Amino acid sequence: MTHTPDAALPANDGPDGGANASATAGDGGLHGSVAGTSDAVLGAYRRSIDNIDAAIIHMLAERFRITQAVGEYKATHELPPADPSREERQVARLRGLAAESGLDPEFSEKFLRFVIDEVIHHHLQAASDAS
């Protein structure tokens, strides 16, 4: 069974109404072409993936701006850089959200632990800078 990304398919993806998917900036024209042929469906999927990837990067940047502020706050108030009980609550919460969303909870935990490790690294650096 094939699933077409209906919401991702543009109403008009070019002068022929979608038969030739237009390339997005910086993709080298790969989004609309598969093995040398025009493929609007694959191009639409790839544009959706690109948009989601961009949103993920922007959300991570915002998350790290906030955690940097948390690290500075912790450093100036002499609080420990890590909070293992909060981390465990967050892992449990996000594993549940992942399961509800059809995402592998193991993957979500690995991803969150990677992010937490980076945040703690930043908090340790802020504590070092404050002393």
Side-chain angles (χ1 to χ4, degrees), residues 45-88:
Y45 280 133
R46 288 179 172 169
R47 282 187 301 280
S48 293
I49 289 167
D50 290 351
N51 289 337
I52 293 165
D53 287 346
I56 289 168
I57 294 300
H58 289 290
M59 294 299 294
L60 282 170
E62 182 62 19
R63 188 184 196 287
F64 277 98
R65 277 190 285 279
I66 295 167
T67 59
Q68 287 287 93
V70 169
E72 292 168 12
Y73 179 86
K74 286 181 172 185
T76 59
H77 290 83
E78 298 180 3
L79 298 170
D83 184 346
S85 65
R86 171 159 167 75
E87 293 163 24
E88 290 309 310

Side-chain angles (χ1 to χ4, degrees), residues 11-130:
N12 182 357
D13 199 19
D16 59 353
N20 291 314
S22 61
T24 57
D27 73 358
L30 298 177
H31 287 275
S33 177
V34 178
T37 63
S38 177
D39 190 326
V41 173
L42 183 57
Y45 280 133
R46 288 179 172 169
R47 282 187 301 280
S48 293
I49 289 167
D50 290 351
N51 289 337
I52 293 165
D53 287 346
I56 289 168
I57 294 300
H58 289 290
M59 294 299 294
L60 282 170
E62 182 62 19
R63 188 184 196 287
F64 277 98
R65 277 190 285 279
I66 295 167
T67 59
Q68 287 287 93
V70 169
E72 292 168 12
Y73 179 86
K74 286 181 172 185
T76 59
H77 290 83
E78 298 180 3
L79 298 170
D83 184 346
S85 65
R86 171 159 167 75
E87 293 163 24
E88 290 309 310
R89 288 190 310 272
Q90 283 292 91
V91 166
R93 184 176 75 84
L94 292 181
R95 282 182 68 97
L97 288 172
E100 290 172 12
S101 299
L103 181 66
D104 179 10
E106 288 294 318
F107 170 78
S108 68
E109 181 173 347
K110 288 177 188 176
F111 179 77
L112 181 60
R113 291 212 181 270
F114 175 79
V115 170
I116 288 170
D117 289 346
E118 187 65 19
V119 167
I120 291 171
H121 171 75
H122 291 171
H123 290 186
L124 289 168
Q125 185 63 49
S128 174
D129 292 348

